[in-house]
Amino acid sequence: MKNFLKYREIWLLAGIVVLIGLISTRFPGFADPANLRQVFNDTSILMILALGQMVVILTRSIDLSMASNLCFTGMVVAMLNAAHPAIPIPVLIVIALAVGLVLGAINGFLVWRLNIPSIVVTLGTLTIYRGATFVVSGGAWVNADQMSPDFINFQRAAFLGLPVLSWIAIIVIALFFLVMTRTALGRSIYAIGVNPTASVYAGIDVGRTKFIVFCISGMIGGLAGYLWISRYVIASVEVANGYELNIIAACVIGGISIAGGIGSVGGAVLGALFLGIISNALPVINISPFWQMAISGSAIILAVVLNARGERRQGRIILRKAEAA
Amino acid sequence: MIGLDTTMDTTAHDGTIKERPPTPTPRLTLSGISKSFPGVRALHNVSLSLYPGQVTALIGENGAGKSTLVKIMTGIYQPDCGEIGIDGQATALPSAHAAFGHGITAIHQETVLFDDLSVAENIFLGHAPRTRFGTIDWRTMRNNAREVLETMRAGHIDADARLKDLGIANKHLVAVARAMSIDARIVIMDEPTAALSMKEIEELFLLIEFLKSDGKAVLFISHKFDEIYRIADRYTVFRDGEMVGEGLLKDTGQNEIVRMMVGRNVDHIFPQREPKIGAPVLSVSGLSHPTEFDDIGFELRKGEILGFYGLVGAGRSEVMQAIAGITRTSRGAISLDGKTIAPKSAADSIEAGIVYVPEERGKQGVVIGLPIFQNVSLPSLARTSKSGMLKLAEEFSLARSYTERLDLRASSLSQDVGTLSGGNQQKVVIAKWLATTPKVIILDEPTKGIDIGSKAAVHGFMAELVAQGLSVIMVSSELPEILGMSDRVVVMREGRIAATYDNKGLDAETLVRTAAGIAA
């Protein structure tokens, strides 16, 4: 299983290298380390969001409300900053995490206690959270001139050669890697995804674990809310509208199985990077945004086909062994 | 062609019965049918004949091969060898569609129909009457449906009702109506009464009488002797995938059939043990569930193997799941080492020292996709990773020590459990529960569907466990296993404890009679 996952990630990594190579033939500066760092930084928010979505998908659920959560939380911290510029940024980040957590907990609670399918719950909260953004803001925007300089510049500050935003992404990736491979929670998340019934018998509280993954995706949505608003320096009801589909696309391209139980932190990160490169590079080599959509879409289908093929091949191996036994 | 000879013997035997008309030609004959799956011989050289206007009962313990035979008759499985004849013509049933075309239809315990379609649609799905334009002729379909239901004396069923609004008995009627509408000539009923109330069973029997009078050949599979004697004309007994007897029910007593079901060659040696039985460890009293079981009370002593025998659906697994904290009870008390416990989840029971190794290995036991060592450590995670952080080295040593004790054959502990054989998967499942160091281990059908070698390993290991002072509850439907392994046997029937026996000179027939509710 591990070898198989590695195989899939290496394949994706190879795909990214080929993609960079192809783009370099048309746009020579693309493979420069400085530019690649820029691409990484540009993709940081998507990577963080994809990791939050990944833990949900692994448990056979889905969180469609992440982008609305991002929008709501972003609006809340932007308004707070506009009204009280003295609040330090780390405190604002903690507030963003907390607001996101509350929104995620609402999803998790409905899935856990009322046993409603997550796709239904989050389809509802997708609309509710965006509507709530309108309610708190009254439909008004928070513009760059209303935000404090700290609010805007925090993520842009350079630290050891990388912007803070990139460092935040690196820390989040490291934390997720730790949780998924080294904690009982991570193990439970995989077990639930692969075989929920056996997990119940093994004493894992499936409902509670699902609640926890929605809390995680909520916190990630909240964190991404601050990062997004301070990056694009505008908070409105329209922020990240429809972006939940990009997040899910990054997961799917990264080899995370929608059926649950299969997927890794490396896969989610690479899936997000793949999408990031496409959206960064294609405009500069004069390919229209419509082609970009077609290419992202094809990448999703290709990823699913390849993953399905990989699983089928594994099946054949099992049979051969079973015959030999 | 031994199978063919047997059929002819019976025919000759029938000829001697004077008050019966000569036996008609069988509608369906199966002869010399064998079917094997990797590692398991499901059917060996079996024969079966079904006669028009007669009900044949197929009798046998679980695992005797009844369902495999039904699947062969309905074209789902292909026999490895043997012949199938319909009206004396040799034929083949290469697909479910072909069987359907020959008028063979099966009605299962849980009816396989479409809940969200109407009764009429269910009856005519796949062969609905068409209008000139090729669209479905709804009016004709409804009228035909009503007609079919009327002829079956089931006119009370509304042809327009959604199927899901009907009770199980009425769903059976719809299934039969469907069979009638395709002019089915052979009707297989696989434990149709399992989920029915007494009144519904009576209605079903009226229907079977109607099918008989209509000249259908009926195969009736049931564990319940009173039903078999009530409705069937003939019987065929299977044991361990072989046909061991057939004939007319009115010539054969219940005890004779029980003897055919259980009499067997000993092909498996159970471990010799010298039980050292101590004080009660687990005691259960008055345990009840609103729908599944009532007033269950028993004691399990230190170092004891307590067998639980009963028919499928007697409520044994349900009781065990309640003790293991997976389902809730309405009343009753469980105490472990003198302390009352009230497990609310599997985690509570594991913590207290009771583990339940579920029956369905694939669905409830192994987590296919995770490596062996992660499977073994899964129920122990709460204990080995108190801080929430995994300790991989500990996990590995835990997995290694328990899989070695069970003689697991695997190339590496990082191997996906999905790549192991059924027997080895079962060893992983048992290892994972033992790793929680329980006081009481409940094994639900521990050797179901695994090969003889792995069976012996599991039995040997059970003996070792009780020798070390563990207490074991073994739910099993296999009589040799119950008799070969248990110190005492609890027999359950219809959600209640029917009797508890000391396994000294206990014989299989007593157990079967108690489980089926036949007076000695």
Side-chain angles (χ1 to χ4, degrees), chain A residues 183-267:
Chain A
T183 66
L185 175 66
R187 183 68 57 75
S188 306
I189 289 172
Y190 279 113
I192 287 173
V194 180
N195 190 338
T197 318
S199 302
V200 171
Y201 283 88
I204 295 173
D205 191 330
V206 174
R208 201 174 64 101
T209 310
K210 284 193 175 176
F211 175 74
I212 293 172
V213 297
F214 277 101
C215 289
I216 293 174
S217 73
M219 279 168 75
I220 288 293
L223 173 66
Y226 162 68
L227 295 174
W228 183 293
I229 300 301
S230 64
R231 181 163 183 75
Y232 301 108
V233 289
I234 187 151
S236 82
V237 180
E238 290 300 309
V239 160
N241 203 356
Y243 203 68
E244 55 278 342
L245 297 183
N246 296 42
I247 304 168
I248 295 165
C251 288
V252 172
I253 292 173
I256 288 138
S257 166
I258 289 292
I262 300 173
S264 69
V265 170

Side-chain angles (χ1 to χ4, degrees), chain B residues 11-275:
Chain B
T11 320
H13 179 68
D14 283 355
T16 62
I17 299 158
K18 293 178 186 65
E19 63 273 20
R20 280 196 86 83
T23 309
T25 350
R27 175 65 51 80
L28 175 83
T29 53
L30 300 171
S31 49
I33 299 278
S34 297
K35 176 75 185 170
S36 294
F37 298 101
V40 188
R41 195 182 67 175
L43 290 174
H44 180 66
N45 197 18
V46 300
S47 303
L48 176 75
S49 303
L50 301 182
Y51 297 89
Q54 294 193 18
V55 177
T56 304
L58 183 56
I59 307 169
E61 279 188 84
N62 301 312
K66 293 170 299 190
S67 351
T68 310
L69 191 77
V70 169
K71 287 188 175 147
I72 287 175
M73 291 167 71
T74 49
I76 292 163
Y77 288 163
Q78 296 309 307
D80 298 334
C81 63
E83 280 169 22
I84 301 172
I86 293 178
D87 294 325
Q89 299 269 311
T91 183
L93 301 171
S95 66
H97 189 75
F100 190 78
H102 281 291
I104 301 174
T105 182
I107 292 156
H108 297 278
Q109 218 179 97
E110 304 278 328
T111 319
V112 221
L113 291 169
F114 301 89
D115 263 348
D116 282 300
L117 298 184
S118 73
V119 168
E121 282 172 292
N122 268 290
I123 294 175
F124 286 102
L125 194 78
H127 58 283
R130 302 291 172 98
T131 62
R132 278 184 293 148
F133 307 108
T135 57
I136 289 175
D137 184 349
W138 288 94
R139 193 188 320 182
T140 313
M141 187 165 95
R142 250 181 238 125
N143 289 340
N144 291 355
R146 264 182 223 122
E147 217 169 274
V148 174
L149 290 168
E150 286 294 338
T151 52
M152 290 166 43
R153 279 165 267 166
H156 60 279
I157 299 177
D158 177 4
D160 291 321
R162 300 252 148 241
L163 191 78
K164 65 179 170 197
D165 298 330
L166 303 184
I168 295 168
N170 282 338
K171 284 185 187 173
H172 280 320
L173 292 177
V174 173
V176 174
R178 176 171 172 75
M180 303 284 294
S181 78
I182 58 164
D183 199 22
R185 302 182 316 138
I186 297 158
V187 180
I188 302 164
M189 297 192 158
D190 192 354
E191 295 200 46
T193 61
L196 299 188
S197 70
M198 293 306 276
K199 185 170 162 286
E200 291 170 325
I201 291 174
E202 286 306 318
E203 285 171 10
L204 184 78
F205 283 173
L206 280 178
L207 182 71
I208 294 175
E209 291 293 347
F210 166 74
L211 291 174
K212 273 169 75 167
S213 65
D214 204 40
K216 313 285 185 210
V218 180
L219 182 68
F220 183 78
I221 300 176
S222 175
H223 285 292
K224 298 177 185 160
F225 278 78
D226 52 340
E227 294 177 0
I228 291 167
Y229 273 89
R230 166 86 194 278
I231 199 73
D233 307 291
R234 302 172 161 274
Y235 69 88
T236 297
V237 181
F238 276 20
R239 185 178 69 224
D240 299 334
E242 297 186 33
M243 197 206 74
V244 292
E246 62 177 355
L248 292 172
L249 275 168
K250 60 187 182 106
D251 301 340
T252 318
Q254 296 192 357
N255 288 333
E256 204 175 317
I257 291 183
V258 169
R259 222 167 292 135
M260 288 183 212
M261 283 170 68
V262 301
R264 74 178 72 224
N265 311 324
V266 179
D267 55 353
H268 178 62
I269 311 294
F270 288 93
Q272 288 294 318
R273 357 180 244 116
E274 307 220 329

Side-chain angles (χ1 to χ4, degrees), chain A residues 1-2 178 180-185 187-188 190-191 194-195 197-204 314 317-318 321-322 325, chain B residues 321 326 346-347 350 356 358 362-369 374 377-379 381 385 388-390 392 395 416 418-419 433:
Chain A
M1 192 67 207
K2 276 246 170 71
L178 194 72
M180 296 316 290
T181 59
R182 290 284 181 274
T183 66
L185 175 66
R187 183 68 57 75
S188 306
Y190 279 113
V194 180
N195 190 338
T197 318
S199 302
V200 171
Y201 283 88
I204 295 173
Q314 194 195 25
I317 292 165
I318 292 171
K321 280 189 183 166
Chain B
Q321 283 166 5
I326 293 154
I350 293 168
Y356 173 63
K363 226 170 88 190
Q364 305 165 334
V366 288
V367 183
I368 287 177
Q374 293 189 5
S377 64
L378 200 58
L381 282 185
S385 60
M389 300 299 285
L390 297 173
L392 291 179
E395 272 188 70
D416 179 354
T419 61
W433 294 112

Side-chain angles (χ1 to χ4, degrees), chain B residues 355-435:
Chain B
V355 299
Y356 173 63
V357 183
E359 178 181 357
E360 287 188 50
R361 185 175 58 239
K363 226 170 88 190
Q364 305 165 334
V366 288
V367 183
I368 287 177
L370 292 191
I372 295 168
F373 81 93
Q374 293 189 5
N375 263 282
V376 173
S377 64
L378 200 58
S380 311
L381 282 185
R383 189 166 47 88
T384 56
S385 60
K386 283 228 164 64
S387 61
M389 300 299 285
L390 297 173
K391 299 200 178 77
L392 291 179
E394 242 177 75
E395 272 188 70
F396 256 100
S397 69
L398 193 74
R400 190 170 304 117
S401 68
Y402 284 97
T403 50
E404 267 171 19
R405 282 173 66 186
L406 278 157
D407 192 23
L408 178 82
R409 308 281 164 81
S411 54
S412 135
L413 290 177
S414 302
Q415 194 180 334
D416 179 354
V417 280
T419 61
L420 299 175
S421 72
N424 279 317
Q425 285 185 9
Q426 183 67 332
K427 288 179 194 170
V428 170
V429 171
I430 295 178
K432 92 177 195 189
W433 294 112
L434 285 176

Side-chain angles (χ1 to χ4, degrees), chain A residues 1-15 177 181 190 254-255 262-267 270 307 313-314, chain B residues 414:
Chain A
M1 192 67 207
K2 276 246 170 71
N3 287 335
F4 176 62
L5 270 183
K6 261 183 207 144
Y7 170 76
R8 177 151 44 195
E9 281 146 19
I10 283 172
W11 175 84
L12 186 55
L13 191 62
F177 185 77
T181 59
Y190 279 113
I262 300 173
S264 69
V265 170
L270 290 173
N307 291 342
R313 187 160 53 234
Q314 194 195 25
Chain B
S414 302

Side-chain angles (χ1 to χ4, degrees), chain A residues 63-75 96 99-104 107 125-126 129-130 133 214 217-223 225:
Chain A
D63 186 352
L64 295 175
S65 72
M66 278 187 99
S68 298
N69 178 340
L70 180 162
C71 173
F72 178 82
T73 312
M75 178 60 81
V99 172
L101 173 67
V102 170
L103 299 189
N107 288 333
T125 54
L126 164 117
Y129 296 165
R130 203 166 280 279
T133 314
F214 277 101
S217 73
M219 279 168 75
I220 288 293
L223 173 66

